[in-house]
């Protein structure tokens, strides 16, 4: 990529590392959990940049180039980290937030905190409303592993309030996110200006799948770019 402007922001006992592709971003990319990092979005960000759309991406603590503890973080902190980036880095409306897996939920939380015009939720997770403040090493895992705990998520009411464009991206063979979660994301977007659901013949690692399949990647990129034409 060209025109990359890296940034480092203090957060807690560590720092957030990230970059802005372009002088002003219109897209914020939020990676998932596990071994994920902002580099997973290279295919998407480069494709958008070629169409004149800048983007922001960060590594959350415990991921990529950021410093800090993943285990001592929480869903609440991930939302606060994304808000910190938006408060300190150059972006312009209309804002699109792309959230993968765990950060699909984070993207939805952001939509009620800042003016988000478009949501791209990639294999998005949903969590019991009481999981939001829990540290990952203090009760979070035990709560979300309770069967069907996601049914008590605040994601559904937040999605009902969203009035922008929604793009859902799912894997037909997802071994992590139950199919009913994706169905609920689609069903509760009643007030959205538009809802598009693209399904791909893959499992939960959708970013990796799209990075290796230019035709499928272009389908996603053009859908997002169409919001800026």
């Amino acid at each position: 990529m060209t025109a990359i402007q890296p940034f480092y922001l203090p957060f807690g006992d560590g720092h957030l590392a990230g970059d802005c592709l372009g002088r002003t971003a219109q897209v914020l990319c939020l990676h998932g959990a596990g071994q994920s990092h902002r580099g997973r979005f290279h295919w998407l960000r480069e494709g958008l940049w070629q169409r004149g759309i800048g983007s922001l991406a960060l590594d959350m603590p415990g991921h990529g180039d950021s410093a800090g503890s993943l285990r001592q973080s929480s869903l609440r902190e991930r939302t606060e980290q994304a808000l910190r980036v938006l408060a300190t880095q150059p972006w312009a409306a209309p804002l699109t937030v792309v959230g993968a897996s765990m950060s699909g939920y984070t993207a939805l939380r952001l939509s009620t905190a800042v003016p988000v015009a478009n949501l791209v939720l990639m294999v998005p997770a949903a969590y019991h409303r009481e999981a939001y403040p829990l540290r990952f090493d203090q009760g979070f895992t035990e709560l979300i592993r309770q069967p069907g705990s996601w049914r008590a998520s605040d994601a559904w009411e937040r999605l009902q309030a969203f009035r922008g464009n929604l793009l859902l991206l799912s894997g037909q063979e997802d071994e992590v996110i139950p199919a009913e979660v994706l169905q609920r994301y689609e069903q509760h977007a009643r007030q959205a200006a538009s809802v598009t659901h693209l399904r791909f013949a893959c499992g939960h690692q959708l970013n990796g799948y799209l990075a290796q399949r230019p035709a499928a990647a272009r389908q996603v990129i053009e859908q997002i770019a169409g919001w800026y034409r």
Side-chain angles (χ1 to χ4, degrees):
M1 292 186 188
T2 57
I4 292 179
Q5 303 174 62
F7 62 80
Y8 294 88
L9 302 173
F11 190 91
D13 295 330
H15 68 259
L16 304 175
D19 65 77
C20 182
L21 179 56
R23 292 186 177 180
T24 302
Q26 291 173 294
V27 177
L28 171 65
C29 296
L30 304 174
H31 65 73
Q35 301 300 310
S36 195
H37 53 84
R38 73 184 192 273
R40 297 278 178 89
F41 289 109
H42 177 91
W43 66 272
L44 175 61
R45 300 180 68 200
E46 182 66 21
L48 292 174
W49 175 244
Q50 291 172 1
R51 291 157 178 81
I53 302 169
S55 60
L56 283 164
L58 73 150
D59 290 328
M60 297 176 182
H63 299 269
D65 298 325
S66 289
S69 171
L70 170 60
R71 287 175 53 80
Q72 294 179 6
S73 189
S74 66
L75 291 173
R76 173 182 285 165
E77 284 203 355
R78 290 172 85 94
T79 304
E80 292 171 350
Q81 290 153 17
L83 287 171
R84 179 67 183 277
V85 170
L86 290 175
T88 59
Q89 302 304 306
W91 64 275
L95 177 65
T96 297
V97 179
V98 182
S101 193
M102 176 180 280
S103 284
Y105 174 78
T106 303
L108 188 54
R109 295 283 308 205
L110 285 179
S111 72
T112 58
V114 295
V116 176
N118 313 300
L119 280 174
V120 181
L121 306 183
M122 304 178 63
V123 292
Y127 301 96
H128 192 289
R129 65 182 65 248
E130 294 180 4
Y132 185 64
L134 297 179
R135 277 179 28 174
F136 295 146
D137 63 352
Q138 291 186 351
F140 175 82
T141 301
E142 291 78 8
L143 176 57
I144 68 170
R145 284 184 176 173
Q146 294 178 13
S149 66
W150 49 265
R151 292 189 176 93
S153 179
D154 62 326
W156 318 129
E157 60 203 57
R158 292 176 184 278
L159 190 55
Q160 285 177 330
F162 180 65
R163 287 174 168 75
N165 299 300
L166 173 64
L167 174 60
L168 284 170
L169 306 176
S170 63
Q172 296 172 349
E173 304 164 13
D174 197 321
E175 68 283 6
V176 176
I177 306 298
E180 190 178 345
V181 171
L182 273 299
Q183 292 169 4
R184 288 205 177 198
Y185 267 108
E186 192 167 6
Q187 292 168 357
H188 282 77
R190 300 188 184 101
Q191 303 296 323
S194 68
V195 179
T196 302
H197 190 171
L198 301 180
R199 300 169 176 86
F200 300 93
C202 65
H204 190 64
Q205 301 302 322
L206 182 54
N207 255 321
Y209 176 89
L210 293 171
Q212 297 175 19
R213 290 164 177 82
R218 277 195 300 273
Q219 188 179 11
V220 176
I221 293 165
E222 290 298 339
Q223 182 71 35
I224 298 172
W227 296 330
Y228 293 93
R229 295 191 181 114

